[in-house]
Amino acid sequence: MRALCWEGAGALAVREVPDPELRNAADMIVRVRRSATCGADLPLLAGRTPFLAAGDVLGHEFLGEVVEVGPEVREHRPGDRVVVCAAVSCGSCWYCRQGLYASCDNGSTMPARAEAAWGQPTGGCYGHPSALGGFAGSHAEYARVPYADVGAFTVPEPLDDHRAVFASDAAPTGWMGAELGGVRPGDVVAVWGAGAVGQLTAQAARLRGAARVIVIDRHPERLLMAELHAGAETLHFERTDVPAELRERSGGRGPDVCVEAVGTEPDGAATRSLADRLGDVGRAERPLAVREAVHSCRKGGTVVVLGTFSGFVDTFPLGSVMQKGLTLHGARQHGQRYIPMLLRLMARDQLTTEHLATHRLPLEQGPAGYELFRDRADGCVRTVFAP
Amino acid sequence: MGRLAHGGTVLATAAAGAVRALVVPRRRRPTTGPDRRPARWQVVTVDRPPEQVLPGGRWPEPLRPLDGAVELYLRPAPGGRGTELSARPLGGRPELPGMAAHLVGDDPGLLIRETLRRAKQYVETGEVLRADRSRLDRPVVRR
Ligand SMILES: NC(=O)c1ccc[n+]([C@@H]2O[C@H](COP(=O)([O-])OP(=O)(O)OC[C@H]3O[C@@H](n4cnc5c(N)ncnc54)[C@H](O)[C@@H]3O)[C@@H](O)[C@H]2O)c1
Ligand SMILES: [Zn+2]
Ligand SMILES: [Zn+2]
């Protein structure tokens, strides 16, 4: 089959690779109809992630048609249209039973690698290196879906592919951001990053009754989308003093909930601080938006980190967390917990996402699609491939 | 249940549920000479009751590679979180018996932990999750 492979730092190519095969009784094979780029792919693409190997297939946000099921699959049959959660989780360990699917104990085939990096093994994710499971990505004609009954969800008929595909990753991540933030009616919510994740966090905050949602970015077309589709106010961080503006818009209190949906910016990594150069050389990331979120948040408020950080960050304002009594949350998305509900919201037009699929390209144009996405060129928010 | 040695032999059998804690006596560490302390236990928590972890006292299939190399111990986890399944190499820290040394390599802890995790996965999900086969192991065929 054809698949979009990582070839080395900054280099991608569409190549012929072996078809996926059923490896476990609970697996199924999906013919991919849509597979989207995600901000989490950018560090992979840049070659900043250990254990990614040349030839690995990228992609983890996808939707497709079931073509083959293992003997233990009960919920799906060939022909079903399904959206697949980006996280690989077993559904039967203690974490899964608590709804903490991304923390699944059984979602990875190489848990020791995640253990070395983070202290405990975590669940899996498609299209990532072995520390996250070692499963091929979805930018391909076919994908293997382990624990198919747990991770795949039938898409209601009238839903368009370009809306439903975001139920795989961006929408559950945004929903989780608002939920972990404990967003309540009347809250002022600030969201850093107007990519798909930030925009869907803003929509979720709105749906949970936030009084004001303020989205921060520097790409005018992304900010405009947040205004149009999430009813958010927006701030251009290069043109304004963000903490001062947030104070002013929240009665001097600071936002009740601050959600970071940025991660490590590829172009922001140029200036490295002294601490970074002296300390954990080359490995520390600079969490600019997290710093700003912690600094801006009201006393006793909640800061949620959704952006992907793989290891250490440099100069984290811990004092502010302690002095202001903040709650700090971070998580990879527990999509299985939200996807059925999100699909229902989508079917009722209460959650709209298709505008995020700004660039819809055949898989063969994978490298060009990633270039658009990485450079935020031509108003690109997400490239969605059709194999 | 209780403490199990190599080969799946139950040393201290008791009815399921009547699980007793293993008390490892604290010994003063000699200041010189080789480290004679027993190796550290490697532990996983299996989200199932003890009688499902070692049904009839038998080792689940994924644990078998450790046969002869480790002793096993299990007890209920607090808070209804299932069973704590522990293993440590027989023969103390540095000196592993020949076959065991071969099996567990330089970092016995890691291999034992990985094996325990596979056993846990088998008990919790009915299977051990298998990675995609490497492209070197299979031909390119069109579906
Ligand atoms: N927690 C999860 O499970 C999960 C799931 C999906 C994505 N993610 C992560 O969430 C983050 C966002 O994902 P995305 O796909 O929307 O990414 P994206 O790359 O499309 O968007 C990130 C946005 O952040 C903006 N930004 C950069 N620096 C900023 C700053 N200082 N202040 C405000 N905005 C800033 C960028 O201009 C960009 O628009 C990424 O780090 C991604 O890896 C996490
Ligand atoms: Zn993602
Ligand atoms: Zn699980």
Side-chain angles (χ1 to χ4, degrees):
Chain A
M1 66 169 182
R2 305 290 287 169
L4 181 62
C5 302
W6 184 77
E7 300 277 300
L12 297 172
V14 178
R15 298 212 179 288
E16 197 69 23
V17 304
D19 280 6
E21 45 185 5
L22 298 174
R23 296 280 286 153
N24 284 91
D27 283 1
M28 68 185 186
I29 306 290
V30 163
R31 187 178 65 76
V32 179
R33 288 164 62 104
R34 303 285 181 259
S35 184
T37 60
C38 171
D41 298 329
L42 295 177
L44 300 175
L45 180 60
R48 282 191 273 133
T49 314
F51 298 119
L52 193 67
D56 282 357
V57 180
L58 294 183
H60 54 268
E61 182 161 53
F62 67 109
L63 174 149
E65 183 191 318
V66 177
V67 292
E68 195 181 350
V69 297
E72 290 295 320
V73 176
R74 303 272 174 269
E75 303 288 324
H76 303 290
R77 276 186 303 207
D80 286 0
R81 185 171 61 133
V82 294
V83 62
V84 179
C85 182
V88 177
S89 316
C90 78
S92 44
C93 71
W94 185 84
Y95 292 95
C96 286
R97 291 200 298 114
Q98 310 305 306
L100 303 172
Y101 289 93
S103 302
C104 175
D105 269 342
N106 302 318
S108 168
T109 58
M110 272 168 263
R113 290 199 170 156
E115 182 181 60
W118 303 310
Q120 305 281 339
T122 62
C125 184
Y126 299 94
H128 274 75
S130 49
L132 291 184
F135 304 109
S138 56
H139 295 332
E141 288 179 81
Y142 297 93
R144 167 193 172 206
V145 176
Y147 303 122
D149 282 347
V150 181
F153 299 84
T154 301
V155 178
E157 205 31 66
L159 263 186
D160 179 64
D161 280 356
H162 285 111
R163 182 177 292 187
V165 68
F166 296 109
S168 163
D169 189 29
T173 307
W175 193 273
M176 184 185 73
E179 186 178 285
L180 290 179
V183 173
R184 287 186 303 193
D187 277 356
V188 178
V189 179
V191 180
W192 278 256
V197 172
Q199 289 192 40
L200 291 172
T201 305
Q203 281 200 42
R206 262 268 175 266
L207 288 167
R208 290 175 64 101
R212 294 184 90 157
V213 179
I214 305 162
V215 174
I216 302 140
D217 205 305
R218 64 168 167 176
H219 296 292
E221 65 286 354
R222 292 183 172 210
L223 292 172
L224 185 63
M225 281 184 175
E227 290 171 14
L228 287 176
H229 299 278
E233 305 165 35
T234 57
L235 298 177
H236 189 301
F237 69 80
E238 286 174 340
R239 298 189 191 147
T240 189
D241 175 347
V242 171
E245 193 76 44
L246 289 174
R247 263 197 308 278
E248 197 175 323
R249 294 184 191 212
S250 61
R253 301 181 302 276
D256 301 286
V257 179
C258 293
V259 182
E260 180 272 353
V262 173
T264 38
E265 264 296 272
D267 46 4
T271 30
R272 291 212 165 272
S273 75
L274 185 65
D276 190 12
R277 287 201 302 274
L278 294 179
D280 199 340
V281 181
R283 284 180 62 197
E285 297 160 340
R286 300 166 63 240
L288 293 176
V290 181
R291 287 182 199 157
E292 212 164 68
V294 167
H295 182 77
S296 304
C297 194
R298 77 152 162 83
K299 288 178 283 184
T302 302
V303 174
V304 182
V305 178
L306 296 177
T308 302
F309 294 93
S310 53
F312 300 89
V313 297
D314 172 27
T315 349
F316 177 76
L318 185 58
S320 180
V321 174
M322 185 272 166
Q323 297 291 345
K324 293 200 291 184
L326 301 181
T327 299
L328 183 65
H329 270 293
R332 277 172 36 215
Q333 54 115 345
H334 308 301
Q336 288 85 346
R337 185 158 118 197
Y338 308 109
I339 291 172
M341 176 268 300
L342 292 169
L343 288 172
R344 282 196 297 277
L345 288 176
M346 287 175 171
R348 294 199 297 256
D349 294 328
Q350 286 172 297
L351 187 69
T352 56
T353 51
E354 56 276 21
H355 62 281
L356 302 167
T358 49
H359 293 70
R360 305 171 185 192
L361 299 177
L363 181 65
E364 292 296 327
Q365 291 179 34
Y370 262 95
E371 212 170 293
L372 284 165
F373 175 62
R374 182 197 58 201
D375 302 341
R376 288 85 163 86
D378 190 34
C380 183
V381 177
R382 280 270 198 275
T383 304
V384 179
F385 300 112
Chain B
M1 238 139 269
R3 191 171 162 188
L4 305 175
H6 51 99
T9 326
V10 182
L11 287 186
T13 344
V19 179
R20 77 189 159 76
L22 174 83
V23 182
V24 183
R26 282 182 188 278
R27 266 171 299 172
R28 227 162 52 83
R29 197 180 159 191
T31 43
T32 54
D35 188 349
R36 291 286 171 208
R37 288 173 301 167
R40 185 182 294 287
W41 289 98
Q42 302 296 330
V43 193
V44 292
T45 299
V46 187
D47 189 27
R48 294 294 180 273
E51 59 274 18
Q52 285 180 32
V53 177
L54 302 189
R58 283 188 316 276
W59 289 26
E61 202 280 321
L63 274 185
R64 305 246 163 95
L66 294 182
D67 194 358
V70 300
E71 58 180 327
L72 276 195
Y73 169 64
L74 78 171
R75 66 176 176 195
R81 274 182 277 193
T83 305
E84 294 173 4
L85 173 64
S86 314
R88 71 176 171 191
L90 290 166
R93 284 192 186 201
E95 304 131 322
L96 294 167
M99 187 56 185
H102 173 70
L103 285 169
V104 300
D106 298 341
D107 181 0
L110 182 64
L111 183 119
I112 292 174
R113 246 177 2 262
E114 286 190 331
T115 310
L116 286 173
R117 284 211 188 95
R118 279 196 288 276
K120 162 190 162 72
Q121 200 170 65
Y122 178 81
V123 173
E124 289 180 347
T125 74
E127 283 189 281
V128 175
L129 189 61
R130 298 163 78 200
D132 296 339
R133 271 201 302 166
S134 127
R135 64 177 61 207
L136 302 174
D137 296 341
R138 57 202 172 124
V140 173
V141 283
R142 282 205 72 85
R143 186 172 287 273

